Amino acid sequence: MGAVVVVGTHWGDEAKGKLVDLLAQDAELVIRYGGGPNAGHTVHVGESTYKFHLIPSGILNPKTLSIMADGMVIAPATLVREIETLQGVGIDTSNLRISHNAHVILPYHRLLDQLEEKLKGAGAIGTTGRGVGPCYADKASRVGVRMGDLIDPKRLRERLTASLPLKNAILTKVFEVEAVELEALIAELTPLGEKLAHYVCDTQALAGEALEANKRILFEGAQATMLDIDGGTYPFVTSSHPISGGACIGTGVPPTAISEILGVVKAYTSRVGAGTVPTELLDERGDKIRERGNEYGTTTGRPRRIGWLDGFALQYAARVNGLTGICIGHLDVLAGFETINICIGYTKNGVLLKHFPAGDVCLMDGCEPVYEALPGWPEDSIDNITRFEDLPTNAQAYVRRVEQLAGVPARFVSIGPRRDQTLLTPNSPAPAQLFANHKTPNLIER
């Protein structure tokens, strides 16, 4: 068997959680490989709605082992609340495992995150203020606290004693706020470590054993390609690697184990926070999409910026992730538009760009989208359709055009938030077959 990676193709909020929940029904392990509580995955099952920030969406399948891997940064209080919330509605969390190597977001990380954003003023990035960036910075500086430290009182005290003086110097001398008191911090963290201790283990070993046993593994990404710390629209990015390569970096699983890489594509573009969005709609069309798609952040509640689908960015995402297929979401939201635009390229200073300007948001300054207009379809509800072939002809044509731009086949099309509102496209393998260990994608000529 092989492993399947689910990634976002643009700036996040593409509904990766829904696809992970669907595929988790056939997976034996679901591993979240990066990010922290700045992520928000919403899953609708029947009449129930679940919102995840840290725990993998696969937790809803009691037969699936859900792993929070090395590459994550974990806010322990947030995680405890999330576990207790799930348990309160009858969801079993005994199948959750947490890497002892995952780093811990501490109270001073959140404080520094918020103070730094305030200091930047108009140049603020638009972080969630949850301490993710400062935690990853400590990881790179080798002064972080990890989950293995959190659950060991002696190691926790040693790590905090070593790291706190520098943090307090920054807090008091740069930002002129009160210092964090060591004993109070230990008193806050110790009971959280006690509640989480029985979940913490060597998750690299678990994943390695699963590979040796030919088990079906699903990797759950957080954020998305354009937010990757290296390949995204820097500096308006996250602090980790949401791209498919991050699945290997954040888990210890080798790239040779991966059989399928699915990119989740929203039928239009959205993003939260600052940074260039060439296809952004600042008119009633954008407002209509935002309201119909309920485009407000799961984590922050902030209204998302809306634009037409950026197919040029999609082509870049297909290349850097090595996509073998896509899942197109929120197709129902576009019903009722007489014309739907897709961006197929950028011009800059009147010159058509050959490649997507990746890696730095400054490269996107002055870029103008080149649109292709496609006919829309009636506003009649499509959310009860059960076969792709029964979608309006123009809706099917839209999917096929997105497929062409990506260069790989559409595996699924989502026409609503619920698990059962996901259509399998013709000639696509059943979800369970995606875990077969094949390597050759069915490429589509652009």
Side-chain angles (χ1 to χ4, degrees):
M1 306 305 291
V4 176
V5 182
V6 173
V7 298
T9 56
H10 287 78
W11 285 276
D13 307 309
E14 295 97 345
K16 297 178 294 296
K18 178 185 177 182
L19 181 60
V20 170
D21 169 66
L22 176 69
L23 296 179
Q25 307 311 304
D26 294 297
E28 294 168 276
L29 283 80
V30 175
I31 307 178
R32 183 169 159 193
Y33 58 84
N38 54 340
H41 292 169
T42 302
V43 176
H44 301 266
V45 181
E47 299 302 317
S48 300
T49 299
Y50 305 93
K51 294 181 182 294
F52 301 102
H53 300 281
L54 286 164
I55 296 176
S57 306
I59 196 74
L60 297 179
N61 182 358
K63 297 180 180 179
T64 299
L65 197 64
S66 292
I67 294 176
M68 301 170 63
D70 305 2
M72 289 190 65
V73 291
I74 296 170
T78 302
L79 179 55
V80 167
R81 285 195 300 271
E82 199 164 314
I83 290 171
E84 291 175 347
T85 298
L86 288 171
Q87 292 174 341
V89 294
I91 302 299
D92 182 12
T93 61
S94 62
N95 57 339
L96 178 66
R97 301 291 184 272
I98 305 168
S99 171
H100 57 201
N101 290 334
H103 279 249
V104 178
I105 297 175
L106 299 166
Y108 56 70
H109 290 137
R110 293 193 299 274
L111 182 57
L112 286 168
D113 196 355
Q114 295 161 14
L115 290 170
E116 288 170 8
E117 278 285 276
K118 184 177 180 181
L119 184 65
K120 292 171 185 173
I125 293 172
T127 75
T128 60
R130 281 160 170 76
V132 171
C135 184
Y136 273 116
D138 277 5
K139 176 179 179 176
S141 297
R142 300 174 296 278
V143 295
V145 174
R146 304 201 288 184
M147 288 299 298
D149 304 318
L150 180 70
I151 64 174
D152 184 321
K154 181 181 178 182
R155 284 166 54 188
L156 178 63
R157 180 175 290 275
E158 289 174 351
R159 298 299 289 171
L160 290 175
T161 300
S163 62
L164 199 54
L166 175 59
K167 302 303 177 186
N168 278 334
I170 295 171
L171 289 171
T172 58
K173 296 178 181 179
V174 176
F175 293 106
E176 298 181 335
V177 298
E178 291 184 4
V180 175
E181 205 274 319
L182 175 63
E183 296 304 325
L185 185 56
I186 291 175
E188 177 182 346
L189 294 173
T190 298
L192 295 171
E194 292 171 352
K195 290 182 179 180
L196 295 172
H198 66 284
Y199 296 108
V200 178
C201 64
D202 182 351
T203 60
Q204 281 198 25
L206 281 179
E209 290 170 355
L211 286 173
E212 291 175 2
N214 290 318
K215 291 188 175 181
R216 297 181 298 276
I217 301 175
L218 177 63
F219 291 105
E220 176 178 358
Q223 286 85 41
T225 301
M226 298 302 158
L227 297 176
D228 187 88
I229 186 67
D230 286 328
T233 49
Y234 191 90
F236 301 102
V237 293
T238 192
S239 303
S240 58
H241 293 289
I243 60 173
S244 60
C248 301
I249 295 171
T251 65
V253 171
T256 50
I258 296 171
S259 58
E260 187 93 14
I261 302 171
L262 296 178
V264 186
V265 185
K266 189 175 281 186
Y268 48 91
T269 295
S270 71
R271 82 162 295 172
V272 172
T276 302
V277 182
T279 67
E280 187 168 12
L281 291 169
L282 300 173
D283 57 19
E284 67 280 358
R285 294 173 299 177
D287 294 339
K288 180 179 180 180
I289 292 172
R290 181 181 300 106
E291 295 307 313
R292 292 188 63 181
N294 191 28
E295 293 293 349
Y296 297 88
T298 301
T299 298
T300 63
R302 290 182 291 182
R304 296 173 184 143
R305 299 160 64 190
I306 302 297
W308 294 121
L309 175 60
D310 193 329
F312 200 34
L314 174 59
Q315 291 177 346
Y316 168 72
R319 176 172 63 84
V320 297
N321 288 296
L323 297 184
T324 58
I326 57 174
C327 171
I328 300 175
H330 296 75
L331 187 66
D332 53 305
V333 175
L334 293 184
F337 285 93
E338 182 176 344
T339 300
I340 300 171
N341 291 327
I342 297 182
C343 171
I344 59 172
Y346 298 161
T347 60
K348 189 169 185 178
N349 299 322
V351 177
L352 185 66
L353 299 186
K354 184 178 180 180
H355 299 291
F356 181 81
D360 195 315
V361 72
C362 294
L363 299 174
M364 298 181 73
D365 289 345
C367 287
E368 296 291 336
V370 177
Y371 286 120
E372 180 179 298
L374 281 72
W377 54 92
E379 198 165 352
D380 297 339
S381 175
I382 64 171
D383 57 6
N384 290 321
I385 289 175
T386 58
R387 299 193 319 145
F388 178 83
E389 297 89 337
D390 294 332
L391 287 171
T393 301
N394 288 346
Q396 293 184 46
Y398 184 81
V399 169
R400 294 310 183 196
R401 185 63 182 118
V402 176
E403 201 175 42
Q404 289 175 342
L405 289 169
V408 293
R411 305 294 195 196
F412 305 94
V413 175
S414 176
I415 55 171
R418 299 192 313 271
R419 183 189 293 168
D420 61 354
Q421 292 175 305
T422 308
L423 309 180
L424 185 68
T425 60
N427 303 318
S428 287
Q433 294 176 324
L434 292 173
F435 293 95
N437 194 18
H438 59 83
K439 295 295 182 184
T440 306
N442 181 21
L443 296 178
I444 291 175
E445 185 176 351
R446 292 193 177 104

